[in-house]
Amino acid sequence: MTVLKKGSVLEITPHSEWAQKFWDDLIPAKERVSQHPLFIGMATGKLNIRCFRGALLNFYPLVAQFPSYMALALAKATQFNEAGVVESRDWLIQNLKVEERHLSWYRDWAYGFGVTLEELDQITPPPAMNAVNHFLWSINYRGSLPESLAATNLAIEWATGDWSLSVYKGIQNYQSQSDIQIDKRSLAWLRAHAHYDDIHPYEAMELIKLLCEGKPDLQAKAFQAAQEGLEYYALALDECYKLQHQ
């Protein structure tokens, strides 16, 4: 049985057959995001700064609204007699607290790379980049609790943890540009996602296992939600990457 440990984290348990297939079948969609040319360019210093700034600017609403998506999921965690609901409630509350400083850290990153705070506060991403936000709002508002966790905390956080680690390792490639400031403050968001948050998608999968065990229909819906979340994420990256060639 998966249990919430005293402190903060879920115990990671071996996957059952359906859960292993669920996880494995998501890998191609996850890698489509985490190994996207935009992130490879960031990690190697080859992404032009205009495209880099466009990414920081247009993905800001996803970062800013992420706790709101989780709060919508938390509102579903009310049937405490059902397996996994109490654990999901406790985990979401704990991780909403973790998200507290992420917005200011991201703003520091963007500012250090030449994006003004006024630009961040006024941004409306183009439709192809904003679609991921509409999807996450919809699935967290209208979907089941496991669908919400699968789309948000499994799919989005899994891919983000992967690419942020590679970008963090290579970010010093931009140090030579005079209009970019790379320091502890501007790297806080990247550092957190590269090192502190890498367990979140594995914990989210544990919750999905608890919530969906013995429920094939719900397993299929949760998988579809995770896959769609990753596809919308990739769509946003494709749109943003166009700036590299303009």
Side-chain angles (χ1 to χ4, degrees):
M1 179 180 179
T2 304
V3 295
L4 194 64
K5 289 182 179 179
K6 186 176 181 180
S8 61
V9 300
L10 284 162
E11 179 185 358
I12 306 303
T13 64
H15 291 330
S16 61
E17 183 177 353
W18 76 262
Q20 189 64 57
K21 178 173 172 52
F22 185 113
W23 184 268
D24 291 344
D25 286 352
L26 279 178
I27 290 176
K30 186 268 294 185
E31 292 186 346
R32 167 94 164 83
V33 172
S34 62
Q35 298 179 18
H36 194 279
L38 185 140
F39 295 132
I40 293 174
M42 283 185 178
T44 59
K46 296 179 179 179
L47 188 73
N48 69 49
I49 195 60
R50 181 168 179 262
C51 189
F52 202 130
R53 287 170 177 155
L56 288 169
L57 182 60
N58 287 294
F59 278 109
Y60 176 70
L62 175 58
V63 175
Q65 296 165 22
F66 204 80
S68 300
Y69 304 142
M70 292 173 63
L72 289 170
L74 176 60
K76 303 175 189 297
T78 56
Q79 299 299 316
F80 301 134
N81 60 320
E82 295 183 3
V85 173
V86 171
E87 291 90 343
S88 297
R89 172 191 177 275
D90 293 348
W91 186 84
L92 284 164
I93 289 171
Q94 289 175 5
N95 285 289
L96 277 165
K97 183 65 176 177
V98 171
E99 291 288 330
E100 180 181 10
R101 288 182 289 178
H102 286 196
L103 181 63
S104 61
W105 289 345
Y106 189 92
R107 288 166 72 89
D108 287 340
W109 182 21
Y111 187 76
F113 273 69
V115 179
T116 70
L117 301 184
E118 290 77 15
E119 287 176 316
L120 290 174
D121 291 335
Q122 295 174 16
I123 187 61
T124 299
M129 292 194 72
N130 212 16
V132 65
N133 297 309
H134 290 290
F135 170 73
L136 289 172
W137 179 89
S138 178
I139 199 70
N140 280 281
Y141 181 73
R142 304 175 192 278
S144 64
L145 179 56
E147 286 175 284
S148 300
L149 291 166
T152 310
N153 303 103
L154 173 55
I156 302 299
E157 291 203 82
W158 188 14
T160 299
D162 276 11
W163 71 252
S164 60
L165 178 58
S166 64
V167 172
Y168 179 71
K169 289 179 178 178
I171 200 69
Q172 296 298 333
N173 286 307
Y174 288 91
Q175 185 70 62
S176 61
Q177 300 202 32
S178 60
D179 56 346
I180 290 178
Q181 182 178 354
I182 298 177
D183 55 24
K184 183 178 180 179
R185 182 170 180 175
S186 64
L187 293 184
W189 189 92
L190 270 179
R191 186 170 58 251
H193 288 78
H195 298 296
Y196 308 146
D197 293 347
D198 56 351
I199 193 66
H200 287 180
Y202 297 91
E203 293 175 340
M205 187 64 204
E206 290 301 315
L207 295 172
I208 292 165
K209 286 156 60 174
L210 279 174
L211 293 162
C212 294
E213 187 61 45
K215 302 173 182 177
D217 289 348
L218 202 52
Q219 294 165 16
K221 288 181 179 179
F223 178 84
Q224 181 66 25
Q227 187 170 52
E228 284 192 37
L230 289 165
E231 289 171 351
Y232 278 112
Y233 202 163
L235 178 66
L237 291 166
D238 289 344
E239 178 69 15
C240 185
Y241 193 59
K242 292 178 183 179
L243 289 173
Q244 174 74 359
H245 307 290
Q246 295 177 1

